[in-house]
Amino acid sequence: MNDPVKADTPQKKAPARIYSWFNKRTGINSLMKASLDEPIPGGARLAYIFGSGLLFIFISQVITGLCLALYYVPSSESAHTSVAYITKEVAAGQFLRSLHYYGSSAMIIVLVLHFLQTFIYGSFKGRRELLWISGAFLSCLVLGMGFTGYLLPWDQSSYFATAVGTNIVGEVPFIGQWLTDMLRGGDTLGTLTLSRFYFAHVFLIPGMIFLFIGLHIALFRKAGPAGPIDEDPIHPKLPPESFYPRQVIMDMAFALLIMVGLGILAYIRPVELGPLANPANTQFIPRPEWYYLPMFEWLKFWSSRMEVFAVVGVPGVLALLFFLLPFLDRKLERRPWRRPIPLLAVSIVLVGMIFLGFKSHLDDLRDHSIAVQLAFQDKQAEEYTKAPFHPSMESASGQALSSAPVNPLVAKGKGIFTSNGCSGCHGVDAMGTAAAPSLVGITAKYPLPKLTDLLHHPNPAMLAGHMPSFDLSTPDMAALFSYLGSLGKSGGSAPVAAAAATPSATPPAPAAGAAPAASPAKAASGKPAPSGKAAGPQSASVTAGEKYFQSQGCIACHGPAGAGTARVPPLGGIVAGLSDQQLSTLLHHHNAKMRAGGMPPFTGTPAEEKSVIAYIRSLAPAKQAKVAQKPATTAAPAKPAAAAPAKPAAATPAKPAAAAPAKPAAAAPAKPGASSAAIQAGQKIFQSQGCSACHGPAGAGTAQVPPLKGLVAGLSNQQLSTLLHHHNAKMRAGGMPAVTAQGKDMQHLVAYLKSLGTPPAGGAAPAAKAGAPVSARPASAKPLSAEARRGQQIFQQHSCETCHGTGGVHGTVAAPGLAGTASVLPAPVLENLLRHHSIQMQEGGMPLTNMNARDMKALVAYIRSMPNPNSGQ
């Protein structure tokens, strides 16, 4: 029988034998000894923990990043959906994402602390120049990781902040445009931008960081620790202490403290995800991450002429001094009080950056309009994060593409919601705006009878928000209720608000002075649109200035007729106290708020500048806008004929007895002499001016405005022309701007209005029903294919008709018609033009067209289906 003691001996020696086997083949024993027995002059200290802390945070970022990459899809169609899935569905997904997000900020903070400790201790002295330079490169790579990672969620804040950042890069002389195109993968932000940022964030920059970390550690081991402040950096004299165990314990305690702090922060305040990026949203105010705020604020102090100096000059000099610090501070003296000049210089830069960061934050709080918009954006992100996840694919246009069958009742309800102007306040997907709350879940709060009663009789809160009453029929109310009930759920025909809605602010407004500026809902509320134009003909200079104002896309920020938006107050009040010379100077040399808002410099000719100033002068200040709300009876009309006509577009139809004309002949129908050509010319003017936005297609009326046929029937041509130039009280209260048509254009418009309800020569189709989709296609045009019909819906959802006119066929004063122009381009050329705008399109203020391939193909099909007027179609 074997001795049991001898039998146990080989088992006890097995771990040692395995370790010895690995050691002989890898040399792990000598590696561990070299790592842990590193001598530290003067012994272990808490001041030395930041370098190890940085290494730990980077490893933590790699681990959490790999976990997130398992679910992330780097494309504009799926990026936001995949992040929403991580945040809302993956087990501990929001916690992991929060750890990764806060870890990037923690890395910046520890990096600054490591730099300050190294600088104050003078640890870069004594043959450690390359060690310092490698650390400087690592600092730049860490900032690059923050910049490239910020875009990946593809929500509103990340999209617009990255757009601003890439625009700043474009200010670099000679190669700026090339750098911007390289980062974006083209002229605009899209899938190529995402894939490039993803590649840089996940592969390129981390690989370079690993490389420089290895180089940094090798150089550190070569030069050795510098020791405390009073130590000789070349020939240490203080007794050394090995790295293990005291310094290892301090470093591990610091790493544990960071891990616990990040975990608590990620659990208590998880990171939110905002709505899907909507490039057409002109109201969103972008703000970068806190560590880029000083640079953001710094640029506000410089005019457009000095942008190159602000972007490249000063930051470039500071970066160069940062890299060359060991060569500038060459003395071996390490005590900071003996190095006053370097210490003062670094203190000035550091305090300046802190000051700029806090000033940017305080400026946002002090500016009421910006503070309100930023608070609204935060609330949007909070609501979107809390909303349940729905597995529907999102398009870059902000719509949810569901494979579920379309519910006809829901589709009809969405049409009622849109045609009644509800989206003007509640948002295109009823997710709410700064003017009105979200309607998601409203049907759970109010049953159908109660909601119907609320629409008929708004409560005080609704009345305070200028909510009009709506008297919908029972079938229409049932359809609207079905649509509201579908919000936040998949499978409806409407976009899924909780998963993909991108509630933008008010859609782009029609051209100033062309179409009614207020949405139908606003018009019905009796709240006038602040249009400053005086009744009657405008001067040629004002008209030219108005056209330039529209052509440059100024209404995107300043609103129609300069009436202001959530970001910018009305222009009339801003310029009231400025002389023409001061206004001219301000157009060319923007102040800090104008630069912070991203306003481009004025590039027009002196004649255009003069006309723009004249137009801005014509805009009414706020106090004049209030006067416009008073009834017209307080002032005598310009002409007697203007006092007696029937109530126009914004009013309810007058009774026949009240509509007696001034002359017996005025009650007669339209003159038979009105030619078909004149009527067609008037119809084009009606469409190009965007009148159908409130009056409905072919003047058939909407829920807010009755049909024009009954309103103009009792008016003579002269009375109607006078009324269009000199509005009565109800027209002004409805927000209808003065009609600027003159001469033959006014005659053609009057001829068209008088012809409404009477089939013109040639047997044209009768006017469409109120609320029906507007179509400017002639009857002889070929019917739309299924794909083109889908493109037409996309065209309307993106409010393209606001500038390009009804159906996009004829155009407006803000943008040309697409029939016979863009419609004749080959499909690849047209798609490339939509994705990468020409200079003329950019100067015209056309927003970015970021959408998925399926949406783009449908949109191209619709534009190419437009009839070519030159071919006689």
Side-chain angles (χ1 to χ4, degrees):
M1 182 176 286
N2 295 333
D3 190 339
V5 177
K6 291 182 180 181
D8 290 339
T9 302
Q11 295 295 332
K12 292 180 180 179
K13 292 182 179 180
R17 291 171 61 187
I18 294 174
Y19 180 81
S20 176
W21 185 88
F22 272 103
N23 181 49
K24 289 177 182 178
R25 288 159 178 78
T26 61
I28 190 173
N29 195 27
S30 58
L31 180 63
M32 292 294 293
K33 184 177 181 180
S35 302
L36 299 177
D37 293 344
E38 174 191 359
I40 302 176
R45 296 174 185 265
L46 285 174
Y48 305 153
I49 62 177
F50 301 114
S52 300
L54 271 174
L55 182 61
F56 168 78
I57 297 176
F58 176 67
I59 294 174
S60 173
Q61 290 294 92
V62 170
I63 294 173
T64 54
L66 288 174
C67 294
L68 297 175
L70 293 174
Y71 300 93
Y72 183 76
V73 181
S75 72
S76 58
E77 291 89 357
S78 306
H80 188 265
T81 305
S82 61
V83 177
Y85 180 75
I86 293 170
T87 304
K88 302 178 181 184
E89 293 294 311
V90 175
Q94 188 175 36
F95 181 77
L96 276 173
R97 181 169 173 257
S98 300
L99 276 180
H100 194 75
Y101 175 84
Y102 290 124
S104 62
S105 294
M107 201 166 184
I108 299 292
I109 295 173
V110 177
L111 178 65
V112 173
L113 293 175
H114 185 51
F115 159 73
L116 290 177
Q117 182 271 323
T118 304
F119 172 76
I120 293 173
Y121 272 58
S123 300
F124 56 87
K125 295 176 177 290
R127 302 170 185 170
R128 292 178 176 83
E129 297 89 351
L130 293 179
L131 177 61
W132 173 269
I133 292 175
S134 65
F137 272 112
L138 280 170
S139 302
C140 296
L141 292 174
V142 169
L143 291 174
M145 283 287 287
F147 179 69
T148 54
Y150 194 60
L151 175 67
L152 300 186
W154 200 249
D155 59 0
Q156 293 275 65
S157 59
S158 64
Y159 178 91
F160 285 105
T162 305
V164 173
T166 52
N167 285 335
I168 292 175
V169 174
E171 297 298 328
V172 177
F174 305 114
I175 61 171
Q177 187 61 46
W178 177 82
L179 287 174
T180 301
D181 293 343
M182 184 192 68
L183 288 173
R184 293 181 173 182
D187 295 334
T188 60
L189 272 66
T191 296
L192 282 178
T193 316
L194 260 178
S195 61
R196 294 186 180 203
F197 274 57
Y198 180 76
F199 170 76
H201 188 73
V202 176
F203 299 104
L204 182 62
I205 299 181
M208 295 179 67
I209 288 179
F210 275 117
L211 177 64
F212 274 92
I213 284 177
L215 178 63
H216 194 68
I217 294 176
L219 292 172
F220 177 76
R221 297 307 298 269
K222 173 65 178 177
I229 292 176
D230 54 356
E231 179 63 285
D232 188 319
I234 299 179
H235 305 290
K237 300 176 182 178
L238 295 176
E241 178 184 358
S242 64
F243 181 70
Y244 178 83
R246 288 186 62 210
Q247 191 63 48
V248 170
I249 293 175
M250 291 181 185
D251 290 353
M252 291 181 64
F254 182 59
L256 180 63
L257 182 64
I258 292 175
M259 183 173 62
V260 172
L262 291 177
I264 293 175
L265 188 61
Y267 181 78
I268 295 178
R269 191 177 178 82
V271 178
E272 295 174 344
L273 176 66
L276 175 66
N278 179 15
N281 186 354
T282 59
Q283 302 297 319
F284 192 88
I285 301 178
R287 287 296 179 265
E289 280 293 277
W290 64 269
Y291 41 85
Y292 282 116
L293 272 181
M295 184 64 178
F296 174 77
E297 184 69 19
W298 166 257
L299 296 177
K300 296 180 184 179
F301 291 93
W302 302 90
S303 65
S304 57
R305 297 180 180 178
M306 301 295 292
E307 281 183 354
V308 174
F309 180 74
V311 173
V312 181
V314 175
V317 170
L318 291 178
L320 185 63
L321 294 176
F322 177 60
F323 274 84
L324 298 180
L325 183 61
F327 302 97
L328 300 175
D329 189 7
R330 297 173 60 92
K331 295 182 180 179
L332 296 182
E333 176 60 58
R334 298 176 55 191
R335 290 170 291 186
W337 54 87
R338 296 291 184 92
R339 299 183 292 131
I341 295 178
L343 189 67
L344 180 62
V346 171
S347 299
I348 290 174
V349 173
L350 190 62
V351 172
M353 294 177 67
I354 295 174
F355 167 76
L356 289 174
F358 275 101
K359 185 178 184 304
S360 177
H361 181 67
L362 292 176
D363 286 348
D364 288 343
L365 295 178
R366 290 170 183 166
D367 193 312
H368 178 70
S369 60
I370 292 180
V372 169
Q373 179 64 22
L374 291 176
F376 171 66
Q377 291 169 191
D378 291 340
K379 185 177 181 182
Q380 275 189 323
E382 180 183 356
E383 291 180 351
Y384 183 87
T385 305
K386 291 180 179 179
F389 176 76
H390 294 282
S392 59
M393 185 180 72
E394 294 167 330
S395 71
S397 61
Q399 305 297 327
L401 306 177
S402 175
S403 59
V406 175
N407 185 336
L409 197 61
V410 173
K412 179 182 177 182
K414 180 172 175 59
I416 294 171
F417 182 86
T418 304
S419 64
N420 282 276
C422 307
S423 58
C425 292
H426 292 285
V428 292
D429 293 313
M431 281 287 287
T433 67
S438 168
L439 297 179
V440 176
I442 190 72
T443 55
K445 186 177 180 180
Y446 298 105
L448 178 58
K450 178 64 176 176
L451 190 59
T452 304
D453 185 64
L454 270 178
L455 288 179
H456 289 173
H457 309 287
N459 60 29
M462 297 162 68
L463 292 174
H466 304 287
M467 169 85 177
S469 60
F470 291 96
D471 189 12
L472 299 177
S473 63
T474 301
D476 286 352
M477 191 63 218
L480 179 61
F481 190 81
S482 298
Y483 167 65
L484 296 177
S486 74
L487 299 174
K489 301 176 182 178
S490 58
S493 66
V496 183
T502 54
S504 64
T506 308
S519 65
K522 289 286 186 184
S525 69
K527 187 176 180 180
S531 174
K533 295 185 289 292
Q538 292 178 315
S539 69
S541 181
V542 171
T543 303
E546 182 180 14
K547 289 183 179 179
Y548 188 87
F549 187 86
Q550 296 165 358
S551 68
Q552 298 301 307
C554 305
I555 61 173
C557 292
H558 291 286
T565 62
R567 294 177 58 189
V568 184
L571 275 174
I574 294 177
V575 305
L578 299 176
S579 66
D580 286 358
Q581 181 60 41
Q582 289 174 320
L583 190 54
S584 174
T585 303
L586 199 60
L587 286 174
H588 289 284
H589 308 288
H590 299 163
N591 59 26
K593 287 189 177 181
M594 296 163 72
R595 291 194 298 272
M599 180 171 173
F602 183 83
T603 57
T605 63
E608 289 172 334
E609 176 187 335
K610 185 177 179 181
S611 65
V612 167
I613 292 176
Y615 171 64
I616 296 176
R617 288 287 184 210
S618 72
L619 301 177
K623 60 181 182 180
Q624 295 180 9
K626 292 181 180 180
V627 176
Q629 298 180 23
K630 296 181 180 180
T633 54
T634 59
K639 297 181 181 180
K647 296 178 182 178
T652 54
K655 296 180 180 180
K663 299 179 181 180
K671 295 180 180 181
S675 65
S676 175
I679 293 175
Q680 291 177 359
Q683 183 181 21
K684 289 184 179 180
I685 296 173
F686 184 86
Q687 294 170 345
S688 67
Q689 299 299 310
C691 305
S692 59
C694 288
H695 292 286
T702 63
Q704 286 75 36
V705 183
L708 281 172
K709 173 187 174 183
L711 297 177
V712 304
L715 300 176
S716 67
N717 290 0
Q718 180 60 39
Q719 286 176 322
L720 183 55
S721 176
T722 302
L723 192 63
L724 290 174
H725 279 306
H726 309 287
H727 299 163
N728 62 19
K730 289 195 174 182
M731 295 167 73
R732 292 194 296 272
M736 180 172 174
V739 178
T740 58
Q742 300 291 335
K744 289 187 177 180
D745 287 346
M746 177 57 74
Q747 295 175 11
H748 295 161
L749 180 60
V750 169
Y752 171 67
L753 295 178
K754 298 290 288 185
S755 72
L756 294 178
T758 303
K769 294 182 180 180
V774 181
S775 175
R777 297 173 63 85
S780 59
K782 297 179 181 179
L784 294 177
S785 64
E787 188 173 51
R789 284 198 302 271
R790 186 170 179 275
Q792 183 181 35
Q793 294 176 354
I794 296 171
F795 189 84
Q796 294 170 348
Q797 288 168 358
H798 282 72
S799 302
C800 304
E801 293 179 322
T802 301
C803 292
H804 290 287
T806 305
V809 175
H810 300 295
T812 68
V813 292
L818 301 177
T821 55
S823 65
V824 300
L825 297 176
V829 176
L830 179 57
E831 180 175 348
N832 182 68
L833 195 63
L834 289 173
R835 294 197 182 276
H836 310 291
H837 297 165
S838 66
I839 296 176
Q840 290 81 1
M841 296 164 71
Q842 295 174 17
E843 291 177 349
M846 180 167 173
L848 301 177
T849 315
N850 282 319
M851 57 183 64
N852 61 28
R854 183 166 175 259
D855 286 352
M856 179 60 73
K857 186 177 180 182
L859 181 60
V860 168
Y862 171 63
I863 295 176
R864 283 175 52 79
S865 71
M866 294 179 181
N868 185 356
N870 299 323
S871 64
Q873 243 184 326

